[in-house]
Structure formats: C-alpha cells, structure tokens
Amino acid sequence: MGSAEVDKHTPPSGDGAGKDVLTGLSNGIDRHRSKDKDHHSHKHKHKDKDREKSKEKSRDKHKDKHKDKHRDKDKHKEKSKDKKHDKDDHKHSKEDRKQDKEEKKREKEKLREKSEKASYVEVKSEPLSDEDDDMPLASRSFSQSSQIDSEDDDQPLAARKKTKTVVKTEKPVKRKAEEMADEENGDVSKKKNKKVKEEKKVKEEKKVKEEKKVKTEKQQSTPNGASPTKRGKKEKKEEEETWKWWEEEKHEDGVKWKSLEHKGPVFAADYEPLPGNIKFKFNGKEMKLSPAAEEVATFYAAMLDHEYVTKEIFNKNFFKDWRKFMTQSEKEIITDLKKCDFTHMLTYFKAKSEERKNRTKEEKQQLKAENEEVVKEYGWCTIDGHKQRIGNFKIEPPGLFRGRGDHPKMGMVKRRVTPEDVIINCSKGTAPKPPPGRKWKEVRHDNTVTWLASWTENVQGQVKYIMLNSASRLKGERDWQKYEVARKLKDCVEKIRETYKEDWKSKEMKIRQRAVALYFIDKLALRAGNEKDEDQADTVGCCSLRVEHITLHEQKNGKQYVVVFDFLGKDSIRYYNEVPVEKRVFKNVQIFMENKKPGDDLFDRLNTTIMNKHLNDLMEGLSAKVFRTFNASNTLQEQLDKLTESKSSVTEKILAYNRANRAVAILCNHQRSVPKTFAKSMENLQKKIDTKKEAIEAAEKSYKDLKKEAKKTGAAAASIAAGKKEKQLEKLKEQLMKLEVQATDREENKEIALGTSKLNYLDPRISVAWCKKHDVPIEKIYNKTQRDKFQWAIDMAGPEFVF
DNA sequence: GAAGGCACTTAGTACAGTGAAC
DNA sequence: GTTCACTGTACTAAGTGCCTTC
C-alpha cells in the first residue's frame, strides 16, 4: 500500500487532528485482505466486526476509538477462548484454573465485604442489567491453525503464539534481577564503590569529626538565647536527613533492609453522618438515607461540579455501585439517578469548606499541630537503625474512582479499607498494633521488598502500598542506579543505533519491526507500550501503536518522509508529533501498515517483552524505559552546555536552565492542563507590560524635550537631567524586556509540566554540577523536598561531573 | 511461553500554604 | 488586612518490567 492510499484513510493532519483521527478510517480498508492479514488479525478479527457495529452506534468518534479498543481488548479474551477451541486440554485446564482463580477472588471479595459490615450495611448484589458481557459468543471461536505463514519467524505475534516453532535468537539464560542490578552497578558503579570504600575510612574519620563539631555546637548553642527546643528539633531533623547511605556498603542481593519498624498506616476517619437538615431528594421528595447509602451519595454530591458527572459511564458505574450500599427499600425507591437531587449536600459541603477556610489563626495552628503529631507518630519508620520518612502513611479514603481519560471503571465506589484488608511488613517481633478490636489481614517479614503495608483495592484489584518517601535510602539508591544504567547506555548507544539501522534492512519482518520501534523509542523518547486490559482506558505506547495512530506523508510542510503520530499515551495525554524520518524507516512503516485496518497493531510481531529481551541482550540492564531517562538527561546536559553563558547573571542562567528543562519536558511530552488562573494572570501581566510601555513613551518624550532644551540653552543642569532621563529610559526598557520575556516564558510553559522530568528523568548530578560550576545556588533549582530527594547527588557531584 | 502477579516508578491534579501586591 | 497568584505537597492513577505459575 502506497502512502497515498494510507493518507486517503486518514484525516488531514495538523491542527486538531487528534481525536478525529479515527474518522472514516475504516473506509475501504477492509478490502485489503490477505493471508497474512487473516492470521495476523486473529486477535483483531472480532474487534473489527465490533468496530463496525460500534461505528453505527456511536456518534462520538473519540469514544468510538475507546470502545474499539475495549473490543480490541476483547481480543485477548477471545484469543484465549480461541485457544480453548484449537488447542489441547492443557489450555482447557488453564482456562479452568483461571476461572477457579476468579471464583476464589470473588470469594475473597465477598469475605472482605462481610468484614466491612461494621461500616456498611451489607446488601446482596442487585442484578442490574449487565452490559459488560455483550461480546457475541460466536465471535469467540475462531480457528487459525491453518493461517500461519510459512516464513520463518516472520509471523504476527497472534499467530506465533499458536506455534511452538519460534526460533530462539536470544540468549537462553535469563538472570535474576538482583544479579543484574549488581552487575549494572558493577561496570559503572563498581569503580565508584571501590573508590567509596577506599574513601570510606577517611570519610568516617571526617564524619566523627563533624559529629563532634555538631555536638560541641549543640552544647554551645543551647545555653544561648535561641529557643532550645526549636534548635534541638532542627538538629534532630538534620541528623535524620543526613544519613549518607551512599557512602555505606550495599545490602546483599535482593535484600532491601535488615530491620524495619513502623507504626502501621493511618486509616481514613469514620464516616460522619450528615446533619438531619441536610436532605437528599428523589423525584422532588426528601428522603433520609441509611448511613451507608448516604456516605456513597456524599461522594457523588461532592463531585457535582466536576466534569466527571457529565460522563455517562461515570454515572452508570456510580449508580450501579451505589445501589449495592442501599437498603432494600431504598433500592425500590431510588431507581433512576437522573431523579436524584444531591444539591443540598453539595451546598452543605461548600459551606463546610468555606468554614474551614475562614478558621481563625489559632484554630489553624491547632490543626497544624495536630497534624504534625500524627506525622510524628505514623509518618516515620526506623529502617536499619535510621529514621526515615514514609511517603504515604495514610490509607486511601473511600470515594469514587477517578480513572483518567475514558476509563471504563470511572465512578465505581472505592470501598473503605479496614485493618482486615491490610498486610503489614516489618521485622519480626515489631508488628504495630492494629486499631483496638481489629486485626491485620497478615503480618509478614519480607526484607526483599520495600513496602511497609499493602492492601488490594477493590475497583481494579490492584495492590496498593505504603512506602518510604523519595528522600529515603531505598528510593535514592534505586534512583542513583537508574541514572547509572542510563549513563552506561550513553557509552554504547551509538553501537545500538548502528545495529538497529542495520536491522531496518533485515529480511525478517519481526526484526525490522523491532528496529523501527526501537528507533522511535530512541528518537522520540516514546514509552514501551505494554498491552492493556479491556477494563482500562485505551492508551498506547510504542509497541502497542495501532495503524490508526500514524499517518504517512511523502512530503509535508517542505519535509520529506514525515510520520505523523497522534495517539493517547499515559494518563490519556495526547501525543502529537510530525516527524521526518529516514527513508528506510518510512518505507518500512508503509509495509507494516499494508493490508491492515486502522485498529490493527502497527507492530504486530512485537511486544514489550520481545523488545526488552533484545535490549537486555544488547546491554545488561537495558530496557525501553532507559532510553527515556538517557535521552532526557542527555538533552539536559547538551542544552545546558549550549545555553549557559558563564558571564551571564544568575537570573539569566536560571532562565537557561529552565529552557533546557523545558526542552526535556517537550521531548517526554509532559503536559499539564492550563492553570485555571492562567488567563487572568496573563491579562495582569499584559497590563503591566502596557503600563511599562506607556511609561517608556512618556520617558522618551521627556528625554527628547530635555535634550532639545539642553541643546538650545546649553545649560549644564538640562544636560544632566537629560542624562538621567536617558538612564531611566534604559532601565524602563530593560524592565519591559524582562516582562515580555516573562510573558513568553509563561505562555510557553502554559501546557508544559517541568516537574515530572526534573523529578524522574534528569540525572540530578547534571544540575548539581551545573550549579557548582556556574555559581548558581542549588536552592534556585531544587526546592527543599527536591534537595532532600537528591541529597546523594548534591553530596556526590562536583562541578566536573558530566552525564 | 502466555498470562497474571507483584513491586516499583512515573504521572497529572487538587488543594493547602505562602508571600507579594494592593 | 485582604486578595491574588504562585509554589509545594499530598494524593492516587497509570505506567514499566521482572518474576512466577501453570
């Protein structure tokens, strides 16, 4: 299929092309059916069928897209069901086991529900119409055994999954993560570790000296006027914060801690029923709800002003779940969400919120003190003899699930977590006490994991964890290691690039797909793109890109061989990019798209496991995500080198830093919604600019007048005044320039989030070194929390550090 | 070897806190 | 003292990738 043909099925790219990309995509494409297509699309077959159906049903194109994907996801279900038909008993038993598991899971759920009796009235599940199971059974059975291409290893994954003849090109031995981690550190960090060991003695001596110094200072300061408690607190805090774990020996393989003690999590406060005068109305009639139903109703009421409640799926899920918390009589009465009136509740919450805002200083202070007490008690743990902050010691309160994008589960009730749901992890003999009269689900002593407590959340069945905060050793060590792997990639990236460029020419489709995908991951810092379940929002990454997500242009805006990417990535954030690529990549993509429907996988012979296996063969510890870290950090280093002028002022240097940071954020597609106050603040800034311009105009006029006068009269006074005016004018112009730069900066940053890259992708040693080299205070780049997180880097990196 | 589980990182948003401007 | 706008933090959803199970 030529690109023109592809283009025919895609909307004009460019402005606003995003969500409309699907429009008309299926037009005519179905006509290209081939052998390859047939077997490749086993997993797509039914989704295509359904897609056509859904097209008729749905008006919203974007929605359609998601629906399609959910059907896409059905393909996995179907896949496994097909297997059931085609394959041996083993598959049957697999399916059975799966069902067994699900049943067990359901039983567990039930048990948990029972345990929550205390907080909710238990109601037997209501047989509301279940639309989830609308997949036609007929479409599930589909044999494909005969459709496998005879070409070696050059088959779509869907087909290959059925055969056992996959040629294994990868190294057979897969090593343990711990081994890898150790060896990762090996190459790059080993030297450092050695150095660290050598220096350890010296440093320990230094440390002892420092401690002595601190002690003496303490002793000296306490009798002084300064508040002893305040000082003591500060010093204690500092002591806690300055555990230089990076100078210590690492734990052995897989061991995360030797001792761990904590007080357990903090549970959400019990539900406080609404005052009697706050009424819920159904069909215009006031109604007092049972406590359980009322609590869930308040979750919804509190969100009435939010966009979520305009979404059908949100309302549907909420109502279905809400009914589970109603009494029999409530269920009989409350039959339609549209007839429910929660506004009185919302008004009450708003008033409460106002009340909170208007608290007196004393009240606020008291509240703050109370919170601090809680943090003091539950916010810290003792790990290997050191006190460390816990990141999230509060258990998530109940509420409505706020899935992002078009999440099929949004609006479902997130149930209250009880001690009976919680697994505690700590040293033997140190288990925290559960709340009075309650029990933990389990207490374990697993020192190969970093979490302190966990529970399984009911909406998605995911495990949630209580973990240490980012300033802790456990997090810092991993962070350091992450950047070391990225630096290791820097040393061999050129070779890897040569390899994948060579692979673009491979005879094997699988290898060509892998090579092109890797090129995208490397060039565009795309995420790997794991496959997703049908009960999640339809988002993709590189390996899971579908044909509908890209458009090819032989020529676009004066550039040759342009690939236009338009898809929803993580958090349903749109990724739109027009990328000129090498001809060979372009031609390959053309081939990958041939005879495929919009909803088909672009890389049908590739997934993240295959990609990462390959990457790990190229370099130990390498996975797709390392490219993002590497490219982000590398970009920062390059941009800083390019943009920083050593003669500039600190302000200008910071501007340069922010620009470099922004370049990375753009690369990684870190977006944010435009701040609510943006328009207004821009308006204010514009006003300032206008005022400044007026001032400049006036100053210019008076300068001219003064100059004229000086020339005319030759008076020294007039000449001095003109000189002064000139200086004033220059100053004003400079101020104007600054304001205009600020406006540009703000405008450019409107939709870009700098924090994510700073926190997760940029090797902090680059920033630290840059600060040290250019005499920029580190506080200008990192706030307190960030400095805590990157303490290791601040301590470690000198001005000479280069990524 | 597919699928699911698990542990962890990465992500954007909401809101509280804070300090500057008026 | 009040308002406004920006910053920092808490929160929790959504990714990645390795490991285990069957």
Side-chain angles (χ1 to χ4, degrees), chain A residues 316-535:
Chain A
K316 193 185 139 206
N317 286 335
F318 161 72
F319 194 60
K320 190 176 168 187
D321 269 10
W322 185 27
R323 288 177 65 81
K324 294 176 190 165
F325 292 81
M326 292 178 190
T327 62
Q328 194 54 41
S329 60
E330 282 169 343
K331 270 198 255 183
E332 277 160 19
I333 300 166
I334 306 167
T335 49
D336 185 357
L337 183 62
K338 287 194 186 101
K339 291 178 182 168
C340 295
D341 181 358
F342 303 91
T343 49
H344 203 181
M345 290 181 178
L346 178 64
T347 315
Y348 171 71
F349 291 141
K350 279 182 176 167
K352 277 266 176 194
S353 162
E354 264 322 289
E355 232 173 68
R356 273 198 299 274
K357 274 181 200 160
N358 296 331
R359 275 187 290 232
T360 63
K361 228 179 183 180
E362 290 72 32
E363 283 172 327
K364 278 182 185 168
Q365 266 174 350
Q366 202 197 327
L367 211 72
K368 203 179 167 189
E370 282 168 14
N371 283 336
E372 276 171 2
E373 275 307 303
V374 177
V375 173
K376 211 171 139 192
E377 187 169 3
Y378 295 95
W380 296 82
C381 73
T382 309
I383 184 161
D384 296 334
H386 295 269
K387 270 190 94 180
Q388 299 254 278
R389 268 304 292 274
I390 298 169
N392 56 327
F393 57 89
K394 289 177 186 165
I395 295 235
E396 293 170 20
L400 302 184
F401 177 71
R402 300 177 175 210
R404 295 171 194 155
D406 276 357
H407 200 295
K409 290 191 169 183
M410 63 166 74
M412 285 173 73
V413 174
K414 231 173 69 164
R415 285 203 312 263
R416 181 177 294 275
V417 176
T418 69
E420 286 75 14
D421 298 322
V422 174
I423 302 173
I424 297 289
N425 193 32
C426 61
S427 290
K428 279 182 185 164
T430 69
K433 280 185 186 159
R438 310 303 294 266
K439 272 196 237 163
W440 300 123
K441 180 179 180 182
E442 188 191 330
V443 175
R444 64 172 76 153
H445 315 289
D446 184 356
N447 74 349
T448 67
V449 295
T450 65
W451 52 268
L452 282 57
S454 73
W455 72 94
T456 304
E457 151 271 347
N458 67 296
V459 175
Q460 307 206 85
Q462 285 174 346
V463 184
K464 300 268 187 163
Y465 301 94
I466 302 277
M467 286 185 183
L468 292 181
N469 96 340
S470 54
S472 66
R473 172 190 183 154
L474 283 176
K475 296 287 181 193
E477 230 167 32
R478 296 271 303 214
D479 222 25
W480 178 17
Q481 192 186 322
K482 173 181 79 184
Y483 292 114
E484 283 309 300
V485 176
R487 288 178 80 202
K488 202 170 138 190
L489 172 58
K490 192 182 177 175
D491 295 334
C492 59
V493 73
E494 280 314 320
K495 206 177 160 213
I496 290 174
R497 284 173 180 157
E498 273 170 33
T499 311
Y500 69 59
K501 282 179 184 174
E502 201 53 40
D503 284 348
W504 291 341
K505 302 177 219 161
S506 171
K507 277 184 184 173
E508 279 186 53
M509 177 72 104
K510 178 188 169 183
I511 290 174
R512 287 209 310 276
Q513 289 196 355
R514 195 182 65 195
V516 170
L518 184 52
Y519 168 73
F520 289 154
I521 285 171
D522 181 24
K523 186 181 168 79
L524 307 173
L526 298 186
R527 293 187 187 85
N530 281 322
E531 290 196 29
K532 295 184 78 189
D533 289 339
E534 71 267 31
D535 55 2

Side-chain angles (χ1 to χ4, degrees), chain A residues 544-775:
Chain A
S544 51
L545 278 170
R546 299 193 296 267
V547 170
E548 64 200 349
H549 296 132
I550 54 171
T551 327
L552 299 176
H553 302 266
E554 299 259 5
Q555 289 273 348
K556 192 169 202 304
N557 301 330
K559 284 171 189 156
Q560 267 195 316
Y561 305 119
V562 175
V563 180
V564 179
F565 292 81
D566 195 346
F567 60 89
L568 297 182
K570 183 177 178 179
D571 291 318
S572 295
I573 299 288
R574 184 183 174 197
Y575 181 93
Y576 183 88
N577 202 358
E578 297 179 1
V579 192
V581 299
E582 297 194 33
K583 187 178 176 183
R584 211 176 277 278
V585 170
F586 189 85
K587 294 291 171 193
N588 263 317
V589 175
Q590 260 180 350
I591 294 166
F592 302 159
M593 291 169 85
E594 253 171 34
N595 301 325
K596 285 188 191 169
K597 292 179 192 165
D600 289 346
D601 289 335
L602 176 68
F603 303 114
D604 56 337
R605 287 153 170 85
L606 184 69
N607 61 34
T608 54
T609 310
I610 295 171
M611 175 64 83
N612 283 337
K613 228 173 182 178
H614 170 65
L615 292 175
N616 197 54
D617 286 344
L618 294 175
M619 185 194 106
E620 269 188 74
L622 185 61
S623 64
K625 105 197 241 287
V626 179
F627 278 87
R628 240 166 114 79
T629 314
F630 157 69
N631 274 312
S633 288
N634 206 36
T635 304
L636 179 76
Q637 181 79 70
E638 283 172 4
Q639 289 292 309
L640 283 179
D641 292 347
K642 193 174 140 193
L643 300 172
T644 318
E645 300 259 358
S646 47
K647 285 175 195 164
S648 304
S649 66
V650 170
T651 319
E652 284 166 323
K653 283 175 183 166
I654 291 165
L655 187 70
Y657 183 89
N658 287 338
R659 282 191 173 145
N661 192 169
R662 185 153 62 220
V664 177
I666 289 167
L667 174 76
C668 294
N669 200 37
H670 290 144
Q671 296 184 23
R672 61 169 183 171
S673 53
V674 180
K676 281 172 193 164
T677 52
F678 181 80
K680 205 174 177 193
S681 78
M682 277 307 269
E683 202 179 295
N684 288 345
L685 194 57
Q686 195 52 50
K687 269 182 200 164
K688 277 187 188 172
I689 289 171
D690 292 344
T691 315
K692 198 63 75 184
K693 277 180 180 167
E694 280 165 22
I696 287 172
E697 229 172 81
E700 261 171 353
K701 194 173 177 286
S702 96
Y703 170 59
K704 272 182 194 166
D705 290 347
L706 284 168
K707 231 166 89 176
K708 256 188 204 168
E709 200 186 323
K711 208 176 174 184
K712 204 172 161 186
T713 61
S719 175
I720 290 167
K724 271 187 182 173
K725 205 33 119 187
E726 193 181 8
K727 274 186 183 166
Q728 193 197 348
L729 187 60
E730 271 168 23
K731 209 176 172 184
L732 283 170
K733 279 181 177 170
E734 205 182 304
Q735 284 170 344
L736 175 68
M737 193 262 289
K738 272 188 182 172
L739 284 172
E740 280 174 339
V741 166
Q742 201 183 340
T744 316
D745 207 43
R746 205 177 283 181
E747 180 66 40
E748 282 176 5
N749 257 358
K750 179 167 74 169
E751 287 175 286
I752 298 168
L754 298 183
T756 309
S757 49
K758 205 185 217 179
L759 238 45
N760 301 300
Y761 289 103
L762 302 178
D763 188 334
R765 290 169 294 182
I766 301 170
S767 306
V768 171
W770 179 82
C771 282
K772 287 180 180 173
K773 190 176 169 186
H774 296 284
D775 286 323

Side-chain angles (χ1 to χ4, degrees), chain A residues 230-245:
Chain A
K230 223 176 182 179
R231 276 201 170 240
K233 240 186 189 175
K234 212 177 177 183
E235 272 158 14
K236 200 183 161 195
K237 211 180 167 191
E238 271 165 18
E239 197 183 313
E240 282 151 5
E241 285 166 357
T242 50
W243 174 22
K244 292 193 173 185
W245 48 260

